[in-house]
Amino acid sequence: MPSVDVNADLGESYGTWRLGDDDALLQVVTSANVACGFHAGDPATLVRTCRSAARAGVAIGAQVGYHDLAGFGRRFIDVDPDDLYADVVYQIGALDGIARTCGSRVRYVKPHGALYNTVVTHEEQAQAVVRAVHDLDPTLPLLGLPGSALLARAERAGLRTVREAFADRAYTAEGTLVPRSQEGAVLDDPRAVAERVLRLVTGGTVRSVDGMDVAVDAESVCVHGDSPGAVRMAQAVRDTLAENGVDVESFL
């Protein structure tokens, strides 16, 4: 029986500002990519998120990003690799400390936003992220886009890599994500998203914006916590997979 992990980006509220419904998503997903304070998430928010994830039995991952609160981590920063290395170590360490006070720990690492897209092709920044994870804890798996520089370098460093696909994002014919600045980059129809994920998991392909079938081999599927109707989409994905004999379980 096939199986797949379903993850979501959580902990992205800040102070009195609230984004998404983390508690509801934690009843659906199997892995939580928790912000680490650089692109989103104040300390109290991260404590609440890790506590809720631990109670729900959901694996906690450190979602590391650029130091860019104003841009929500979705703007490229030409950061020096040594500075990026330090930023990633800092973020993982901070979230792991919070997770441990909640009876859990950081179980994996995933880049966020612009950093995620950058390390698909940017060799120096990809290596900085890999080096940070390896030096801190070489047992931590690293999530990324199939075929990316990040995963290639992680494999060479001896890290476990986890190939990821996106339920609610449009793909190019090259298998990369359509930039959010383009119309149609973010999908919001729960039924269409669920059928798309079922096809991806059982057939290994996703339809690109050009109408082409793109091969995508993924162990984990992401539903963005800040997408419109994220809870409905995640539930539709999980229900559709279950109805078609696909187990939803953590890659860990």
Side-chain angles (χ1 to χ4, degrees):
M1 180 179 291
S3 66
V4 70
D5 172 71
V6 177
N7 74 70
D9 301 344
L10 305 177
E12 294 181 323
S13 298
Y14 201 92
T16 59
W17 181 72
R18 292 288 181 264
L19 180 65
D21 189 342
D22 288 2
D23 287 338
L25 276 170
L26 284 168
Q27 302 307 309
V28 182
V29 301
T30 45
S31 298
N33 319 313
V34 181
C36 299
F38 271 36
H39 79 273
D42 64 281
T45 291
L46 303 186
V47 169
R48 287 194 300 270
T49 305
C50 287
R51 187 176 294 148
S52 296
R55 288 173 179 164
V58 174
I60 295 172
Q63 187 162 44
V64 298
Y66 290 131
H67 206 171
D68 181 29
L69 279 175
F72 199 66
R74 288 181 175 157
R75 301 180 294 189
F76 168 73
I77 298 179
D78 189 16
V79 59
D80 181 89
D82 286 340
D83 290 339
L84 180 58
Y85 167 90
D87 286 349
V88 172
V89 170
Y90 183 96
Q91 290 176 80
I92 299 170
L95 188 69
D96 188 53
I98 289 173
R100 288 178 183 274
T101 68
C102 301
S104 186
R105 65 183 180 88
V106 166
R107 304 284 303 282
Y108 65 92
V109 177
K110 173 186 169 179
H112 166 80
L115 179 60
Y116 186 101
N117 291 325
T118 297
V119 295
V120 171
T121 57
H122 197 300
E123 298 286 350
E124 292 79 12
Q125 291 201 10
Q127 183 59 30
V129 174
V130 168
R131 186 162 59 94
V133 175
H134 181 273
D135 289 355
L136 184 63
D137 184 350
T139 69
L140 290 174
L142 190 56
L143 266 69
L145 201 71
S148 63
L150 178 76
L151 295 194
R153 287 182 172 270
E155 288 175 358
R156 290 200 291 272
L159 297 177
R160 178 185 172 188
T161 60
V162 179
R163 300 176 304 279
E164 183 182 35
F166 290 84
D168 52 2
R169 291 294 308 277
Y171 277 78
T172 69
E174 291 73 37
T176 57
L177 301 181
V178 174
R180 284 179 176 268
S181 58
Q182 295 184 19
E183 185 177 352
V186 180
L187 312 179
D188 59 8
D189 182 332
R191 186 167 186 171
V193 165
E195 291 298 327
R196 173 187 177 91
V197 172
L198 177 64
R199 186 168 184 252
L200 186 151
V201 173
T202 59
T205 63
V206 65
R207 187 64 53 85
S208 75
V209 289
D210 317 76
M212 298 177 61
D213 285 339
V214 181
V216 177
D217 180 17
E219 302 168 73
S220 185
V221 176
C222 176
V223 177
H224 285 92
D226 66 318
S227 289
V231 177
R232 294 196 309 276
M233 279 194 291
Q235 190 65 63
V237 166
R238 182 150 193 165
D239 291 345
T240 299
L241 291 174
E243 290 165 4
N244 287 273
V246 179
D247 279 342
V248 176
E249 59 185 15
S250 171
F251 59 83
L252 295 162

